[in-house]
Amino acid sequence: GPHGDELSTLLWEVYRTGQSLETEIQELKEMESYRREFIGNVSHELKTPIFSVQGFAETLLDGALDDESVNRTFLKKILHHANRLDSLARDLSTITKIETDELDMSNEAFNVAELFDAAIESVEIRAEEKGIMPRQRVAPDLPQIYGDFDRLRRVLVNLVDNAIKYNQDGGTVQLEAESQNDEVVIRVVDDGIGISPDHLPRLTERFYRVDKSRSRNQGGTGLGLAIVKHILAAHDRELHVESAPEEGSTFYFTLPTSPQPSLQPA
Ligand code: ADP
């Protein structure tokens, strides 16, 4: 009868609301545990540089200050760890910003060569230190690409920086761009230490590193590829990687050659 129908509709509504509440609660729980893990990771990352700065400064004050050669070494170590803290603070602020307000992604047209020049300029010092000269190979008559120039420069800086960091002195790093089905594919190619297949799926996780001490010695924060992934996701793009240990790595992605109607937040 009519009452039975109403009752079953009501029960159905209650059931559906219950289901979606359960899903929401589940999602909130996941976010909460993700947030806790992130904060745990951050405090862990902060410990080493903070303890080191404290330790070296205390040792200097306890008398090492009188020894010219020791105090230089210690001050250098203090500076090194202070720089690590600085990189960490910057990367954390970038990743938080990108995750919360990516709505202001711009969608401008520019030449790939401009992007490559800007990225290479930002890594000049590190490149010189390692005797590496990043090269560009941009296909002739490449159309302009669309996206957020500053954020895409950041993507390339992080990739090129890694290509230099995880490489031998004097190794090669090449930035490539060519057309591929109405899009432009951009690659950062190195002949460095490479990555074994079992690590590849996790590279873009925050704080994931193949070799922790190597990353830290090179000033890595473990956030570089997480930032890259977020910026590309905000452009509706994905980061791809091909790599083999001791042979080198190629990180690549594509960008559109016409304006994107809607840049989606990551
Ligand atoms: P990090 O600050 O440690 O460099 P990233 O997020 O940029 O953090 O990279 C994560 C890890 O991926 C690095 O610690 C390194 O082990 C590996 N990796 C990234 N790029 C390369 C590369 N070009 N060659 C070899 N290993 C790489």
Side-chain angles (χ1 to χ4, degrees):
H3 290 296
D5 279 353
E6 268 167 44
L7 187 61
S8 65
T9 312
L10 184 67
L11 284 176
W12 176 240
E13 270 309 310
V14 170
Y15 172 77
R16 264 211 347 222
T17 315
Q19 286 293 300
S20 70
L21 266 179
E22 213 164 278
T23 319
E24 261 175 56
I25 290 170
Q26 193 53 40
E27 277 168 12
L28 282 173
K29 275 188 184 159
E30 271 165 29
M31 267 172 59
E32 175 60 15
S33 88
Y34 181 65
R35 202 185 59 89
R36 270 173 207 266
E37 189 191 327
F38 182 57
I39 291 174
N41 283 333
V42 171
S43 20
H44 182 79
E45 293 296 325
L46 290 172
K47 267 181 200 156
T48 312
I50 290 175
F51 288 165
S52 307
V53 168
Q54 286 173 333
F56 289 119
E58 276 166 11
T59 316
L60 281 175
L61 290 173
D62 284 349
L65 205 52
D66 306 328
D67 184 331
E68 171 85 19
S69 72
V70 169
N71 72 38
R72 278 202 149 267
T73 322
F74 279 25
L75 285 173
K76 276 191 187 152
K77 288 183 196 263
I78 289 175
L79 184 62
H80 167 81
H81 289 288
N83 287 339
R84 276 189 54 70
L85 286 170
D86 181 51
S87 316
L88 202 57
R90 281 169 199 264
D91 278 358
L92 283 171
S93 127
T94 305
I95 207 156
T96 328
K97 259 191 222 139
I98 288 170
E99 283 181 3
T100 52
D101 59 48
E102 54 246 306
L103 291 174
D104 65 339
M105 296 282 295
S106 71
N107 195 7
E108 51 204 320
F110 51 87
N111 295 319
V112 176
E114 286 174 64
L115 185 68
F116 283 4
D117 286 340
I120 290 173
E121 201 185 301
S122 309
V123 296
E124 225 165 26
I125 294 174
R126 191 193 285 281
E128 261 171 37
E129 278 170 4
K130 293 225 21 173
I132 293 177
M133 278 258 283
R135 288 193 303 241
Q136 293 191 41
R137 219 187 62 193
V138 177
D141 305 323
L142 206 58
Q144 288 202 307
I145 51 174
Y146 286 80
D148 188 309
F149 185 88
D150 283 332
R151 294 210 164 109
L152 291 169
R153 182 189 49 170
R154 180 64 195 248
V155 163
L156 280 170
V157 166
N158 289 3
L159 295 177
V160 175
D161 196 50
N162 282 345
I164 296 168
K165 277 196 303 210
Y166 304 107
N167 211 326
Q168 297 77 18
D169 285 0
T172 54
V173 172
Q174 186 153 285
L175 287 78
E176 304 176 353
E178 63 187 359
S179 289
Q180 193 182 70
N181 322 314
D182 285 342
E183 296 180 333
V184 167
V185 55
I186 291 178
R187 298 190 200 91
V188 177
V189 187
D190 70 63
D191 64 350
I193 65 173
I195 304 157
S196 70
D198 46 319
H199 291 290
L200 293 180
R202 302 193 56 192
L203 289 186
T204 58
E205 285 174 25
R206 293 153 157 187
F207 299 117
Y208 189 82
R209 292 138 157 151
V210 175
D211 178 342
K212 279 206 171 69
S213 66
R214 180 168 182 131
S215 158
R216 294 215 176 98
N217 285 339
Q218 301 279 325
T221 60
L223 293 171
L225 291 181
I227 292 172
V228 166
K229 180 189 163 162
H230 270 288
I231 297 175
L232 289 179
H235 286 82
D236 259 335
R237 305 282 147 165
E238 274 176 26
L239 178 69
H240 304 277
V241 54
E242 278 164 16
S243 186
E246 281 156 69
E247 280 173 30
S249 312
T250 297
F251 285 84
Y252 62 99
F253 56 92
T254 62
L255 284 172
T257 53
S258 53
Q260 291 302 82
S262 62
L263 281 183
Q264 293 297 315

